[in-house]
Amino acid sequence: MYCIVLISFWLLISQQCYGQVLWPAAESRSNTFNSTYGSLDEEQARSLMRSANLSEAQQQAVLVAINFERSNWAGSSTQLDAFYQDVPSTATVEAGTPIKIENYTNTTLYTIPPGVALSRMLFTTETINGTVIPASAIVLWPWLPRRFANISGLPVVGWGHGLSGWSGECGPSHIRNIWYAYGAPFTLALQGYVVVAPDYAGLGVDHDAEGNFIPHQAFAGPAAGNDLIYSVQAAQNAWSSLSKEFIIMGHSQGGGAAWAAAEKLAKKPVEGYLGTVSGSPLTSFPATVNLVLDQPVPLGAGLARLSTGISSIFPSFQWSDWLSDEGIRLTQVLQWLQGCQSVALELIQSPNLVREGWNATWYLSAFEDLTRVGRKEFAGPMLVLEGTADAMIPAVLTSAAANETCSTWPKSQLQYTLLEGVTHVSVLYAGQQIWLNWIADRFSGIDAPTECVQEMVSPALEKQAYQAEVGYTLQYAFYPYEVA
């Protein structure tokens, strides 16, 4: 532990003890698959997949997905990066405390926009059970921060990402485009906001100072909501130039996390909180199971994802409570490979992953009681965005959560905006003007409506004329003609 005072080119760092500040780049960037990173042994991986009865074609597809994910790492494996590995003790530290700061992160390892700087941070947060643990985050710094007459300091938005995976390798701070790119975090930074973007606990940093494994509590909105609140507080403590005022925003899993954070802030207010933006929020995993995951393949994939972390909430839970022998084998392969979303899409797509009678157990209803958002008082105002063509989290689920909340709390300052013909991730792009204006209004001190508001927004042209999905991946440019 070192006591450090640094002066950056844009701000004065608070004089506090955080740990080592600047780590050397883990690796130089590469335009090929990062297949030498980590501890993957291809023959061992194939042997494990063969034991799980994957065909040669399936094995090859999984290996390609692994290499694709590794080619999008920012540097090397988190298991080789001292920033994630050397974790200071959190035994006597309260949640919301920065414990390690890397002020100048090597931006050439990322595909972030020009005019944006990047820092990494370790901070303390709480699990859904209330245990204080370490987590990782990144901070995006705009070249020209926005200024608002009624606040002092640089305006802060806490960003909550959608589902990226289950292992340490799946933290957005470890991914070149930080997972969402221009969907929100890059756009916010280019609009002049300081973006504090946590990896949810268990992603990025996956162990504490004593070496205890930290599982990611997937789909547990209140847990990720804690990460959002405490990462913002930690950043404000680490960098004195940040405003005390802040907005929380998230999408999908992060949309549910942002909503859950607003509910927590109603019970435990934090000075400076101005409101929440919740995009395509996951409000209820069981409701999503009933409506979206009611076919064998998506049901098995969903339960396998949830199973990787639910035992940290309910210690008596066993994978065999939900998963078949095949489901257990494939989930074990997913964990051993440290696979994220791309690997999961190739690996856990069998129709035979679910154990018969899985829904007779009490775990799903107990998980619902702990994690469902909506119908509760929240600290407003809150903007909820949803697309009518969202197949991942259908509008009927978000509408139900919004309607139930407004029925119970009619003066709760909830603005529910439906975007006609818009899909899941695309709601951030189609609705960009809506949420950017809403955020600017909150920082400008403009009052939101004092009661629930619902609206439908339609496109200028026929809805089928528009690009429906994000159809690209940001990659490095290695030659002048690629950026001409």
Side-chain angles (χ1 to χ4, degrees), residues 256-278:
W259 194 324
E263 292 177 347
K264 177 168 182 169
L265 290 167
K267 297 178 180 178
K268 189 177 179 181
V270 172
E271 183 182 5
Y273 168 72
L274 297 178
T276 291
V277 178
S278 175

Side-chain angles (χ1 to χ4, degrees), residues 278-457:
S278 175
S280 309
L282 176 65
T283 57
S284 166
F285 184 80
T288 306
V289 166
N290 292 333
L291 188 63
V292 180
L293 307 180
D294 60 346
Q295 299 300 313
V297 170
L299 176 61
L303 292 181
R305 286 169 165 89
L306 182 57
S307 295
T308 59
I310 197 171
S311 60
S312 68
I313 302 173
F314 306 118
S316 62
F317 176 82
Q318 302 291 322
W319 287 357
S320 58
D321 290 320
W322 284 354
L323 302 179
S324 65
D325 290 344
E326 180 180 355
I328 292 171
R329 288 195 301 270
L330 292 179
T331 304
Q332 288 172 333
V333 172
L334 178 65
Q335 287 205 324
W336 187 86
L337 294 174
Q338 295 280 284
C340 302
Q341 281 285 61
S342 298
V343 175
L345 288 171
E346 296 293 343
L347 187 61
I348 51 175
Q349 294 300 308
S350 167
N352 304 312
L353 303 187
V354 180
R355 173 182 176 269
E356 186 176 351
W358 75 272
N359 52 357
T361 65
W362 57 270
Y363 295 108
L364 194 63
S365 60
F367 185 78
E368 167 81 337
D369 292 340
L370 280 176
T371 63
R372 178 169 181 166
V373 299
R375 300 184 297 180
K376 306 183 190 79
E377 184 180 13
F378 66 89
M382 179 163 64
L383 169 66
V384 178
L385 295 169
E386 181 60 85
T388 63
D390 190 335
M392 298 292 295
I393 299 177
V396 63
L397 297 180
T398 309
S399 296
N403 290 334
E404 290 171 359
T405 303
C406 287
S407 295
T408 308
W409 308 93
K411 301 295 184 181
S412 58
Q413 290 187 289
L414 191 156
Q415 178 182 332
Y416 180 43
T417 301
L418 276 165
L419 281 67
E420 184 185 5
V422 175
T423 57
H424 186 61
V425 177
S426 301
V427 74
L428 294 173
Y429 294 84
Q432 185 178 106
Q433 290 185 65
I434 298 171
W435 55 262
L436 280 175
N437 289 340
W438 191 94
I439 290 173
D441 284 349
R442 303 293 79 78
F443 279 110
S444 298
I446 299 173
D447 292 334
T450 57
E451 57 187 17
C452 286
V453 175
Q454 298 195 25
E455 62 180 355
M456 172 79 79
V457 179

Side-chain angles (χ1 to χ4, degrees), residues 123-321:
F123 68 100
T124 50
T125 185
E126 289 182 355
T127 68
I128 199 170
N129 309 74
T131 303
V132 175
I133 55 173
S136 46
I138 58 173
V139 180
L140 297 177
W141 300 91
W143 188 89
L144 184 63
R146 292 193 70 158
R147 296 290 184 175
F148 294 91
N150 57 313
I151 71 170
S152 299
L154 311 184
V156 178
V157 177
W159 164 249
H161 63 86
L163 185 68
S164 61
W166 309 267
S167 76
E169 304 291 15
C170 307
S173 69
H174 171 57
I175 299 172
R176 288 178 180 178
N177 67 1
I178 70 168
W179 193 238
Y180 263 74
Y182 291 95
F186 290 174
T187 300
L188 285 164
L190 291 171
Q191 286 293 311
Y193 299 99
V194 175
V195 181
V196 179
D199 302 324
Y200 304 137
L203 309 178
V205 169
D206 62 2
H207 62 279
D208 62 20
E210 290 71 39
N212 299 309
F213 176 63
I214 300 173
H216 172 52
Q217 296 180 334
F219 307 123
N226 286 342
D227 301 337
L228 281 169
I229 295 170
Y230 291 127
S231 65
V232 169
Q233 290 182 321
Q236 290 169 328
N237 288 329
W239 289 283
S240 59
S241 64
L242 299 185
S243 67
K244 69 177 181 180
E245 291 82 8
F246 66 97
I247 293 282
I248 283 182
M249 179 178 181
H251 178 262
S252 194
Q253 180 184 11
W259 194 324
E263 292 177 347
K264 177 168 182 169
L265 290 167
K267 297 178 180 178
K268 189 177 179 181
V270 172
E271 183 182 5
Y273 168 72
L274 297 178
T276 291
V277 178
S278 175
S280 309
L282 176 65
T283 57
S284 166
F285 184 80
T288 306
V289 166
N290 292 333
L291 188 63
V292 180
L293 307 180
D294 60 346
Q295 299 300 313
V297 170
L299 176 61
L303 292 181
R305 286 169 165 89
L306 182 57
S307 295
T308 59
I310 197 171
S311 60
S312 68
I313 302 173
F314 306 118
S316 62
F317 176 82
Q318 302 291 322
W319 287 357
S320 58
D321 290 320

